[in-house]
Amino acid sequence: MAFLIISLIIMLIGLLRLKINKRSIIGGIFLASGLILSLASLFFELLNLIYLYLPSGDFATLIIAYGILPLIFLLVCGYFIFNSKTMRTKEGKSATAKLSALFGLNLLIAFPALFMLFTFSTKTIPQIIWYILLYILLIDIILCFLFAAYILYSWMSQMIPLQKKIDYIIILGSGVRSEEVPPLLKSRLDKGIEYYQKNPTAKFVVSGGQGADEPVSEAFAMRKYLHSQNIPNHQILFEDKFTTTYENMLFSKRIINEDWSDKEMPPSIIFSTNNYHVLRGSLYAQRVKLKAQGVGGTHSTLFLTYGLNS
């Protein structure tokens, strides 16, 4: 029960932080971490009640108390490992397509390794090696937990759609292999189009330069896709010189400021990226003093490293 109370306090700290600053990644991680820990605490409390009230040594008790948790753990690891096949289908043989499997394998190795380490005493293996292994495994598990909390809050933050009038829709770029947009980038564009259909006077800002291994700029491929979806050219603002999320935000802000006619009233702006990337994009928007809210397109998995598309 004490662990549950601590978890709820962590959630409360996150909520208070988000009330002060809705873009706070720290607040979001605290909120999601508290939620995860609260659910885990309730799960263990349930197991404890089952263990107390079912006959000791009963087969059903053993299965529930000692079988459910490992089974859930294996199912989670299996989901991430086999989900990489879906990602390869949608994204091709890229590094990002392998990350889901790597995450699942990491969990599958790290947790059993930590339990095995505790079965060995410092007399079995040298003390310094025991402590080094313990430190490495704990850091690995903590980082996995924090990233899971980040992903969970990214998903939570996208559950409520924006209802306000929108003047500009920034589409953040990602890698292209041809003039056609890949599924990852298409999901960002489709999310932007979803909001455009509710705000037909809004303008798109397609943002993304041409990498050394790309046949055209990301912005060019996005504009071509928007044309195919019957978006008129005069409602597409084009920026194809810069390649990082920070530069995209900075120069999209300049383009919007030059295009916006009502200088007394600030425009309403959103940026469209993928759900795992929204919080990171919000931090860059904050850095360049761009008042924009992020919306996330769906992807084959909620897990994907957010740094590869920066």
Side-chain angles (χ1 to χ4, degrees):
M1 185 59 68
F3 188 71
L4 177 59
I5 293 172
I6 293 171
S7 303
L8 292 174
I9 290 173
I10 293 173
M11 284 183 63
L12 180 61
I13 292 171
L15 286 169
L16 292 174
R17 178 63 181 167
L18 289 170
K19 189 173 182 180
I20 297 170
N21 180 7
K22 292 182 180 180
R23 294 177 180 174
S24 172
I25 189 171
I26 300 298
I29 288 177
F30 264 77
L31 175 62
S33 297
L35 178 60
I36 293 172
L37 293 173
S38 297
L39 293 174
S41 177
L42 290 171
F43 179 77
F44 282 111
E45 286 291 335
L46 177 62
L47 288 182
N48 185 51
L49 289 172
I50 291 171
Y51 185 77
L52 287 174
Y53 290 103
L54 285 181
S56 179
D58 183 76
F59 180 74
T61 306
L62 293 174
I63 291 295
I64 293 171
Y66 300 105
I68 290 180
L69 192 59
L71 178 61
I72 291 174
F73 174 73
L74 290 173
L75 288 174
V76 170
C77 293
Y79 165 77
F80 284 113
I81 292 169
F82 290 106
N83 185 67
S84 63
K85 182 178 180 181
T86 304
M87 293 182 66
R88 283 197 304 272
T89 302
K90 293 190 175 184
E91 298 302 322
K93 296 180 179 180
S94 63
T96 56
K98 301 174 183 177
L99 291 172
S100 180
L102 290 175
F103 182 68
L105 288 171
N106 178 69
L107 291 178
L108 195 59
I109 293 170
F111 278 95
L114 183 63
F115 286 114
M116 287 180 63
L117 185 63
F118 282 119
T119 65
F120 294 101
S121 67
T122 54
K123 295 179 181 179
T124 309
I125 57 178
Q127 187 176 24
I128 183 66
I129 294 178
W130 192 91
Y131 280 110
I132 289 173
L133 291 174
L134 178 64
Y135 176 80
I136 291 172
L137 288 171
L138 287 176
I139 291 296
D140 180 77
I141 291 170
I142 289 170
L143 289 176
C144 286
F145 176 82
L146 290 175
F147 193 72
Y150 175 93
I151 295 297
L152 175 61
Y153 183 66
S154 296
W155 175 78
M156 289 167 59
S157 66
Q158 296 308 301
M159 289 300 97
I160 303 174
L162 301 176
Q163 301 295 338
K164 65 179 183 179
K165 181 180 181 297
I166 295 166
D167 299 304
Y168 292 93
I169 304 168
I170 300 171
I171 310 292
L172 298 179
S174 68
V176 294
R177 305 182 192 92
S178 67
E179 292 188 7
E180 306 303 319
V181 294
L184 183 74
L185 188 51
K186 181 179 180 295
S187 68
R188 301 180 179 190
L189 288 158
D190 289 342
K191 177 60 69 171
I193 291 171
E194 179 184 320
Y195 280 92
Y196 170 80
Q197 290 171 346
K198 300 173 185 176
N199 300 269
T201 61
K203 292 184 179 180
F204 284 90
V205 181
V206 290
S207 178
Q210 181 176 356
D213 58 345
E214 295 176 328
V216 295
S217 71
E218 296 160 10
F220 177 89
M222 287 191 283
R223 183 171 62 181
K224 180 179 178 181
Y225 179 78
L226 290 175
H227 286 162
S228 73
Q229 301 301 307
N230 300 316
I231 309 298
N233 194 57
H234 70 271
Q235 287 183 259
I236 304 173
L237 304 179
F238 191 76
E239 181 279 291
D240 67 345
K241 302 298 181 185
F242 305 97
T243 56
T244 68
T245 303
Y246 173 79
E247 290 174 338
N248 289 161
M249 288 293 190
L250 179 63
F251 291 95
S252 293
K253 177 187 174 183
R254 292 185 183 179
I255 291 171
I256 290 171
N257 286 341
E258 291 172 1
D259 181 76
W260 184 242
S261 57
D262 187 356
K263 302 303 178 183
E264 295 183 0
M265 182 70 67
S268 175
I269 306 168
I270 65 170
F271 66 88
S272 178
T273 181
N274 291 91
N275 43 28
Y276 61 86
H277 194 253
V278 170
L279 289 179
R280 188 168 180 268
S282 295
L283 292 177
Y284 280 119
Q286 192 172 32
R287 281 181 61 185
V288 303
K289 296 180 172 55
L290 175 66
K291 291 185 178 181
Q293 290 183 269
V295 296
T298 56
H299 193 260
S300 57
T301 180
L302 288 178
F303 178 82
L304 196 60
T305 292
Y306 51 88
L308 294 179
N309 296 304
S310 60

